[in-house]
Amino acid sequence: MLSTLMLGAAEAASANLFDQWWLLIKDKAVAGQLDFWQTIYKEIYQNVLYNNRWQNYLKGLGITLEVSFFAALLGLFLGMLLALMRLSHAKPLQKVAGVYVGIIRGTPMLLQVLIINFGIFGTIAIDRVIIGVIACGLNSAAYVSEILRSGILSVDKGQTEAGRSLGLSNWQTMRLIVFPQALKTALPAMCNEFITLIKETSILAYIALTELTKAGDYIRSKTYSAFTPYIVSGILYLIVTGVLTKLLGKLERRLRQGDNR
Amino acid sequence: MITVKDLHKHFGKLEVLNGINQHIAPREKVVIIGPSGSGKSTFLRCLNLLEQPTSGQIFFEGTEITAPKTDIDAIRCRMGMVFQQFNLFPHLSVMDNITLAPITHKLMTKEQAQKRAMELLTRVGLPEKANTFPKQLSGGQQQRIAIVRALAMNPDVMLFDEPTSALDPEMVGEVLEVMKQLALDGMTMVVVTHEMGFAREVGDRVLFMDGGIVLEEGTPKQIFENPSNPRTQDFLRKVL
């Protein structure tokens, strides 16, 4: 209780400070006489600080991350399944997976999102976050499966033969010998796919999911600033993808070191 | 131990094996020689079904392994194989390479498997390499590890597919030495090789293959000193 009060007080104090700074230049702003730095402050004040608008971006970022994370999981799981189906010896499985990948890769993601939102879940009351996860996950799965498939194919056939000659089953050989090596080869492309996925969730703005892009768009509709809200959203995207690139780069380097131990 | 009846293998229109009949006895060392493309590697790879024969039968200790219902994985546990390109698992340490199969098959606990691996590594003179990775080893060392990996399953027979062909000349000796030791220990061995010295010294029986059939077979003495078939004579003249 006490801490909430204190937080509230601190917020009010800081808000007051920003508001006071704004009041200092407000008249000049109305008259259109702001200098460069004052213009920048005006933009930041209106698009980020005023009325705690920064919270909109953070909420949007939260939803973007939430959708991306679960869509990546779904995509990874489904993608593995599809890759194994395409590499299996059962013709019908190959066909099904091939057609799926063909359809997903051959149609715009926006169209897929619209079909899933209005077509499949059109009459069902369901959280848009879940729709977003499903739409992006199904899309990503097709690309992940191709990445994994090429990774698996890049592993020398002799590895499979060595595994099988030791009496390991097809699946054991895949799991213990081929897959770990395939994953290492596929990691850079997977990193790319995850980053693409994060950015592509912005398409969900179309179905009124208030993720990071839509959040920026919402602010624009309030302030009529054409640049600042989108730039704020863009910076947040950059931070997330930058951190992810760093992390996966580290992982990749560690795996490569394993080669030369 | 292994009986092969009328074995045929076609790759599309190409007939690689044209009817092979063989019986390999326990503890026997059979060495297969012949020009490249003669089908000797394909024959060896058929023995543990890495190649699926087009027709014919293969029996291993009374079980027909070419029968569709045979559990080939169980059969392969008793047949070790060594490849020309070693095919060690690059993502695993030497120790893990060796213990992977026995542990996965639950034949041994991890501790037992590691103890056995160290014994075998000592036998091939590489006990200090247990915690290194394949890429840090020379070709000869890698191939010795590959032999140990196959032996760790305690197989009844060892198949060697040109085990020294990918090695630098100075490393051939160390691998052949391990194989000779294995032969002295009484292992049943089927070896495809171009090492005529090894064939002569270790083989109980030498098969000369050409055109997908066994053209001539006999003791090393017969084959190397008194070959009867002109193609055998021609081949030996070129390689000896």
Side-chain angles (χ1 to χ4, degrees), chain B residues 98-162:
Chain B
I98 299 168
T99 56
L100 176 74
I103 292 176
T104 307
H105 289 294
K106 299 197 167 64
L107 296 177
M108 299 180 201
T109 64
K110 195 177 173 195
E111 289 71 31
Q112 287 170 328
Q114 289 185 341
K115 188 161 161 277
R116 171 85 178 131
M118 281 314 292
E119 284 168 19
L120 290 167
L121 280 173
T122 309
R123 243 168 72 185
V124 301
L126 295 169
E128 76 282 2
K129 300 295 185 190
N131 295 315
T132 57
F133 280 74
K135 283 203 177 138
Q136 295 171 295
L137 302 174
S138 72
Q141 291 171 332
Q142 288 194 47
Q143 192 62 299
R144 283 188 278 163
I145 302 289
I147 293 172
V148 166
R149 180 176 66 181
L151 288 176
M153 290 293 289
N154 292 320
D156 299 334
V157 56
M158 287 283 285
L159 312 175
F160 291 86
D161 187 4
E162 301 199 26

Side-chain angles (χ1 to χ4, degrees), chain B residues 18-198:
Chain B
N18 280 317
I20 293 186
N21 291 284
Q22 278 295 321
H23 179 76
I24 295 158
R27 302 173 77 86
E28 194 179 19
K29 286 90 181 115
V30 177
V31 179
I32 307 172
I33 61 172
S36 26
S38 60
K40 51 194 195 305
S41 275
T42 306
F43 171 59
L44 190 79
R45 289 159 58 83
C46 279
L47 293 182
N48 68 351
L49 247 51
L50 279 186
E51 298 293 352
Q52 191 68 41
T54 309
S55 67
Q57 290 173 301
I58 302 168
F59 295 87
F60 177 67
E61 292 178 343
T63 313
E64 189 197 341
I65 67 173
T66 37
K69 62 181 189 310
T70 306
D71 178 7
I72 188 61
D73 293 335
I75 299 287
R76 284 178 181 147
C77 286
R78 291 150 64 197
M79 303 173 106
M81 184 152 193
V82 175
F83 299 87
Q84 184 177 351
Q85 300 294 340
F86 331 135
N87 295 346
L88 290 178
F89 308 132
H91 62 302
L92 299 178
S93 70
V94 164
M95 180 55 86
D96 290 340
N97 263 278
I98 299 168
T99 56
L100 176 74
I103 292 176
T104 307
H105 289 294
K106 299 197 167 64
L107 296 177
M108 299 180 201
T109 64
K110 195 177 173 195
E111 289 71 31
Q112 287 170 328
Q114 289 185 341
K115 188 161 161 277
R116 171 85 178 131
M118 281 314 292
E119 284 168 19
L120 290 167
L121 280 173
T122 309
R123 243 168 72 185
V124 301
L126 295 169
E128 76 282 2
K129 300 295 185 190
N131 295 315
T132 57
F133 280 74
K135 283 203 177 138
Q136 295 171 295
L137 302 174
S138 72
Q141 291 171 332
Q142 288 194 47
Q143 192 62 299
R144 283 188 278 163
I145 302 289
I147 293 172
V148 166
R149 180 176 66 181
L151 288 176
M153 290 293 289
N154 292 320
D156 299 334
V157 56
M158 287 283 285
L159 312 175
F160 291 86
D161 187 4
E162 301 199 26
T164 58
S165 298
L167 293 175
D168 291 338
E170 74 265 29
M171 293 169 184
V172 171
E174 63 191 63
V175 171
L176 291 182
E177 203 47 53
V178 168
M179 292 169 64
K180 280 177 201 166
Q181 194 56 48
L182 199 57
L184 285 176
D185 292 345
M187 176 64 75
T188 311
M189 293 164 70
V190 185
V191 184
V192 173
T193 189
H194 294 293
E195 292 294 325
M196 297 304 149
F198 176 84

Side-chain angles (χ1 to χ4, degrees), chain A residues 87 146-157 174 178 182:
Chain A
L87 292 169
E146 283 299 282
I147 293 167
L148 289 178
R149 193 172 69 102
S150 69
I152 289 170
L153 288 176
S154 77
V155 177
D156 182 48
K157 204 164 153 266
M174 182 57 85
V178 177

Side-chain angles (χ1 to χ4, degrees), chain A residues 157-230:
Chain A
K157 204 164 153 266
Q159 293 289 310
T160 308
E161 290 184 347
R164 295 309 304 272
S165 80
L166 288 164
L168 301 177
S169 69
N170 211 349
W171 170 239
Q172 285 170 330
T173 306
M174 182 57 85
R175 185 167 54 89
L176 298 169
I177 295 163
V178 177
F179 225 80
Q181 296 181 55
L183 218 52
K184 197 187 321 191
T185 320
L187 203 63
M190 286 295 265
C191 172
N192 240 338
E193 171 56 25
F194 287 143
I195 286 170
T196 304
L197 176 62
I198 290 172
K199 292 183 300 178
E200 296 225 306
T201 56
S202 64
I203 280 181
L204 299 172
Y206 249 92
I207 59 167
L209 178 68
T210 318
E211 41 64 69
L212 187 48
T213 302
K214 184 78 183 170
D217 195 49
Y218 168 78
I219 302 291
R220 184 204 45 84
S221 73
K222 294 276 175 197
T223 63
Y224 304 111
S225 290
F227 278 116
T228 316
Y230 295 137

